[in-house]
Amino acid sequence: MDVLETIKARRSARSFTDQRLDRHIVEAIEEAILHSPSASNAQESHFVIVQDEVRIRHIKRFAQGLSGQPAAVVVLCSNHQEALARGGADSADTLRFINLGVAASAIMLTAQSLGASSCPVRSFHAPSIAAITGLPEEVKPELLISLGYADKPPRPKTSKPPKEMISFERYGS
């Protein structure tokens, strides 16, 4: 699947089959994480890939936005101190979140391109997720991505008309 077709096909899946992720998909997600760019090449983010069913059940207890029974959950984490040391104040205040967004997109598009589904989740109790995944105090969970094989087709995409979303040269033109 080419990149644009993958982007067009990716939708959030909130219910999954009970099939474990194929190893090559997990390996490809690892590669996507390792090759995801970061501002000033700060590489201050950390990612915890959780595939253990018991640990996923514990995560779900503290992540109200995490639906279904995913085969894996990726916990995307930031480290303010490391971002400051490696990329300066702009990285610590803003760019670390942009870097996580870029990585999240790479993770979800990689999964989609290989036949797996995903859903980003922001509604969770961060201290509990940190404890479940053994994060040190300075590393904070910022986003979860559920992964698995969707058990039903996603809803069709609806979009605003292009002129409401895209301008050329100046806003509104």
Side-chain angles (χ1 to χ4, degrees):
M1 191 180 292
D2 76 7
V3 174
L4 190 54
E5 288 305 313
T6 302
I7 292 169
K8 290 178 181 180
R10 204 214 73 77
R11 299 284 173 275
S12 291
R14 292 179 175 82
S15 63
F16 304 95
T17 68
D18 58 3
Q19 181 181 355
R20 292 188 56 80
L21 281 180
D22 291 336
R23 183 70 197 146
H24 78 279
I25 293 176
V26 176
E27 290 169 354
I29 288 168
E30 289 177 55
E31 287 292 310
I33 289 168
L34 292 172
H35 293 283
S36 182
S38 63
S40 302
N41 199 29
Q43 300 179 44
E44 77 290 340
S45 304
H46 192 86
F47 305 83
V48 179
I49 301 171
V50 179
Q51 297 179 82
D52 178 72
E53 292 177 26
V54 173
R55 195 171 306 275
I56 290 171
R57 276 200 309 273
H58 286 117
I59 288 171
K60 283 185 52 111
R61 290 170 52 194
F62 298 99
Q64 60 273 32
L66 190 59
S67 302
Q69 300 298 326
V73 175
V74 181
V75 182
L76 290 79
C77 308
S78 72
N79 182 329
H80 183 270
Q81 295 169 346
E82 189 172 355
L84 183 61
R86 295 178 63 96
D90 198 27
S91 286
D93 296 339
T94 305
L95 294 176
R96 65 188 167 118
F97 300 112
I98 293 170
N99 293 342
L100 285 175
V102 171
S105 185
I107 291 165
M108 292 185 292
L109 291 174
T110 297
Q112 181 69 39
S113 73
L114 297 172
S117 298
S118 62
C119 185
V121 176
R122 181 69 180 116
S123 55
F124 56 88
H125 186 256
S128 297
I129 301 305
I132 292 166
T133 55
L135 299 179
E137 186 175 328
E138 67 276 8
V139 177
K140 306 296 183 204
E142 305 290 354
L143 185 69
L144 307 177
I145 297 176
S146 59
L147 296 165
Y149 300 102
D151 67 355
K152 58 185 172 187
R155 295 181 300 200
K157 169 81 172 163
T158 58
S159 295
K160 293 180 181 179
K163 289 185 180 217
E164 290 183 27
M165 295 178 66
I166 302 169
S167 300
F168 291 92
E169 309 305 334
R170 292 180 49 87
Y171 184 88
S173 59

